[in-house]
Amino acid sequence: MKSARPAGGPKMKKTDALYPPIEPHETGELLVGDGHRVYWEVSGNPEGKPVVFLHGGPGSGTSPWQRRFFDPKVYRIVLFDQRGCGRSTPHASAPDADFRYITTAHLIADIELLRKNLGIEKWQVFGGSWGSALALAYAQAHPDAVTELVLRGIFTLRRVELEWFYEGGAAALFPDLWESFLAPIPVLERSHMIEAYHRRLFDPDPAVHVPAAIAWSTWEAATVTLTPDAAQIGAKSDPEKATAFARIENHFFVHRGWWEEGQLIAGVDVIRHIPTVIVQGRHDVVTPMMTAWDLHCAWPEAEFVVVDDAGHAATEPGTQKALRAATDRFARAAR
């Protein structure tokens, strides 16, 4: 199938810990209702152990390098772009984009529909950042469909998490970068940055929403790694990608994921029996370790791995190694 929006991604170093690049052997568009089509792809072993990759953001879409966390000889690797982003349509950057049908409940339903359409009984669920929140929510809604969970950079959309990164907490570490995040917002509106950004991101005028989207997206890109990654920052400056990313994130954050405060951590009893690995960068400033620690304390049965020389990004070497170790371990168990 043709794609008008090829998914990009960071360039991996020659020393990275992931499997070699592979291409999908099957792609498609899933009609999920409400006028939405969700792009999906399958790579690796067609008869292998199924795993679904849940990307972050929400709104970032998938990239080819994300196939590489999984042994292609063992895993049947499923990637898909969540509603409104990547190669899924309609795109959230469109002036008339309708967000009524882009909610957590819709995404969970899409995952289930994709599983059934691919003829998969159960699968491993792998998710980082927003993907960890969606993975927890999906597993709690459909525990019988999940064989294992691999979670990275734990994010549950609690008020303290959102206020830390978007309302000034992280500014204590990055006051220079925070100035650029503040710039699109008038001084009198800066006490509620998420709401102030919401008004601008959803303004129909590109002269208003595009600069806001780029400022929102580059703030995250500039802080996501332990040391700045110019390639990631540059990628988030693309107007179309930045607009979709910022709008979808902000939309979910304004609604707190449509969850009760602390719901995902409080709900671990439903999934306590599922073998799980939690990987967290010690120096993650986007989704600080406090949330991973709270999840660990509520769920001590899950393996908890702290990467001392990593921030938030899955591209960092220590995090790559920990994530590959987790998928390799579950692959061995499947043999």
Side-chain angles (χ1 to χ4, degrees):
M1 62 174 289
K2 294 181 179 179
S3 171
R5 299 181 179 87
K11 293 182 179 180
M12 298 292 105
K13 298 178 180 179
K14 292 182 179 179
T15 55
D16 71 68
L18 305 185
Y19 284 95
I22 55 173
E23 294 298 321
H25 52 72
E26 189 178 3
T27 65
E29 289 183 331
L30 183 67
L31 277 66
V32 294
D34 313 311
H36 284 267
R37 292 173 179 260
V38 167
Y39 168 84
W40 59 268
E41 64 172 51
V42 182
S43 57
N45 182 352
E47 304 300 323
K49 175 180 175 61
V51 59
V52 62
F53 181 97
L54 304 183
H55 67 68
S60 67
T62 56
S63 298
W65 69 273
Q66 292 162 341
R67 306 167 191 145
R68 300 176 54 206
F69 286 106
F70 314 98
D71 185 341
K73 295 181 180 179
V74 177
Y75 279 100
R76 182 184 179 192
I77 307 159
V78 180
L79 271 63
F80 76 98
D81 293 336
Q82 296 160 28
R83 293 190 184 202
C85 66
R87 288 154 286 188
S88 294
T89 59
H91 206 251
S93 62
D96 59 348
D98 185 350
F99 283 76
R100 289 178 297 168
Y101 306 111
I102 304 178
T103 70
T104 303
H106 286 97
L107 299 187
I108 291 172
D110 294 348
I111 299 170
E112 264 300 90
L113 184 61
L114 180 60
R115 180 183 68 83
K116 292 175 181 177
N117 271 262
L118 293 176
I120 294 171
E121 181 181 358
K122 295 184 176 183
W123 52 7
Q124 181 183 126
V125 180
F126 181 113
S129 194
W130 157 254
S132 73
L134 184 56
L136 287 167
Y138 171 77
Q140 289 174 18
H142 301 281
D144 293 339
V146 180
T147 55
E148 305 97 8
L149 287 164
V150 178
L151 309 173
R152 173 196 60 81
I154 305 303
F155 183 45
T156 67
L157 279 72
R158 295 179 300 176
R159 183 177 296 275
V160 66
E161 299 169 44
L162 295 173
E163 290 182 348
W164 159 260
F165 193 63
Y166 294 100
E167 303 290 354
L173 299 175
F174 302 99
D176 50 343
L177 303 177
W178 183 250
E179 285 297 318
S180 297
F181 186 67
L182 288 175
I185 308 302
V187 173
L188 295 179
E189 296 184 54
R190 291 178 181 177
S191 60
H192 299 285
M193 292 293 287
I194 293 175
E195 288 81 0
Y197 261 97
H198 186 79
R199 289 188 285 273
R200 284 152 185 83
L201 290 171
F202 288 89
D203 190 298
D205 184 356
V208 176
H209 69 244
V210 170
I214 291 174
W216 177 284
S217 300
T218 54
W219 161 244
E220 179 170 329
T223 55
V224 74
T225 48
L226 190 58
T227 57
D229 184 329
Q232 288 204 42
I233 297 169
K236 288 297 178 72
S237 298
D238 175 80
E240 183 183 50
K241 291 180 180 178
T243 298
F245 177 78
R247 280 179 167 177
I248 295 173
E249 275 203 340
N250 184 274
H251 170 65
F252 274 75
F253 298 168
V254 163
H255 292 94
R256 300 288 193 270
W258 295 269
W259 293 312
E260 298 294 328
E261 179 74 4
Q263 177 179 327
L264 293 181
I265 295 176
V268 297
D269 281 348
V270 178
I271 57 174
R272 193 174 296 279
H273 65 286
I274 298 175
T276 298
V277 176
I278 299 167
V279 176
Q280 178 68 36
R282 170 78 68 181
H283 302 286
D284 186 340
V285 298
V286 179
T287 60
M289 188 172 150
M290 61 182 177
T291 303
W293 182 256
D294 289 345
L295 181 62
H296 164 65
C297 291
W299 195 6
E301 297 87 352
E303 181 180 349
F304 185 49
V305 180
V306 178
V307 184
D308 284 323
D309 60 350
H312 180 69
T315 55
E316 295 177 292
T319 300
Q320 288 183 1
K321 291 177 183 177
L323 291 170
R324 175 172 164 174
T327 63
D328 283 351
R329 192 185 91 194
F330 291 139
R332 288 192 296 271
R335 289 171 173 165

